[in-house]
Amino acid sequence: MDFTKTQTYYNLARSFAGECQAGMRYQLTAREATHQGYYVLADTIKTIAKNETNHARVFFQTLLKEAGSRDNIHIDASYPFHSGTLAQNLQFAAIDEQDESENIYPQFAKIAREEGFEQIALKFEQVAKVEDNHRIIFGYLHEAFEDGSLYKAERPMLWICSECGFMHTSKESWKVCPLCGAPQGDTELHLPFKKENL
């Protein structure tokens, strides 16, 4: 079978393009978080952007392995182009990640499996699990940012300054680290996770 005639070939190209764009969108969101003084939030978003870039690398390398180098691959696909406030961008990211984890990559995995590419199907499924965790993180960050609970908790939590390591247990983070004077935006965040995706 000529791999370049399969739907999986085009789905890999679409996935590469989509992950590159997601990585850049998240870099721009992280930049805005930094401008607003949310340094640890920016670092968290940058880590997810790095994840997306590595997903793109996996898809790109798989495409090269299966089809070799190409001058162009014509793909017909839709990609999100939305932007707003920092809070809105966190919400957009959660929505985009949900689409990838629940619709796009499971469908691409199904097609790859039907076309006889089990290892590629597994890659799509593995990426879908990571995207689901990204959805959870972005959803949490959006809600916490919107309702002002990013640095507050219902029960006492351990807050850690990412700059000097100062630790304190309370229901709310400090506004300024009492040890080094770092702003609240340098306080480590408490992020949710799904055990089944570990």
Side-chain angles (χ1 to χ4, degrees):
M1 175 191 303
D2 181 353
F3 186 74
T4 64
K5 306 289 188 207
T6 67
Q7 186 60 47
T8 298
Y9 169 75
Y10 293 104
N11 289 345
L12 283 168
R14 288 177 58 191
S15 299
F16 170 72
E19 294 296 310
C20 287
Q21 291 180 38
M24 180 49 69
R25 283 194 311 274
Y26 301 158
Q27 286 287 353
L28 295 172
T29 300
R31 184 177 181 179
E32 181 58 31
T34 298
H35 286 317
Q36 293 187 31
Y38 295 100
Y39 305 109
V40 173
L41 174 61
D43 289 343
T44 301
I45 298 166
K46 285 178 191 175
T47 297
I48 294 174
K50 183 173 79 171
N51 296 162
E52 304 298 353
T53 301
N54 277 293
H55 297 168
R57 179 187 53 80
V58 167
F59 293 135
F60 184 72
Q61 289 176 338
T62 303
L63 196 56
L64 289 177
K65 178 184 171 195
E66 298 294 332
S69 184
R70 301 279 154 183
D71 288 336
N72 288 296
I73 301 174
H74 178 80
I75 53 175
D76 186 11
S78 298
Y79 298 100
F81 282 86
H82 41 228
S83 184
T85 65
L86 178 54
Q88 289 170 328
N89 288 341
L90 294 169
Q91 183 177 34
F92 291 144
I95 293 166
D96 295 342
E97 296 295 318
Q98 182 173 9
D99 192 32
E100 287 180 346
S101 67
E102 294 179 4
N103 302 313
I104 296 170
Y105 291 132
Q107 182 63 27
F108 287 2
K110 180 178 181 283
I111 292 168
R113 194 164 277 120
E114 288 170 354
E115 292 182 330
F117 304 110
E118 181 62 26
Q119 291 305 308
I120 296 173
L122 289 174
K123 291 291 183 202
F124 282 130
E125 289 167 347
Q126 289 167 335
V127 170
K129 284 184 179 182
V130 175
E131 305 300 21
D132 190 42
N133 281 333
H134 290 170
R135 173 194 62 80
I136 292 166
I137 291 168
F138 277 127
Y140 166 79
L141 292 173
H142 168 255
E143 287 178 21
F145 192 82
E146 280 281 275
D147 69 14
S149 66
L150 196 59
Y151 294 106
K152 294 179 184 176
E154 291 181 9
R155 57 181 171 71
M157 304 285 288
L158 179 64
W159 301 99
I160 303 172
C161 176
S162 67
E163 291 296 306
C164 71
F166 179 80
M167 296 181 201
H168 180 71
T169 302
S170 67
K171 290 185 177 182
E172 186 171 346
S173 167
W174 51 80
K175 299 290 184 202
V176 175
C177 175
L179 176 59
C180 72
Q184 187 177 56
D186 279 322
T187 305
E188 292 183 13
L189 300 174
H190 299 280
L191 299 174
F193 66 94
K194 283 177 71 172
K195 287 184 180 178
E196 60 267 26
N197 281 5
L198 297 178

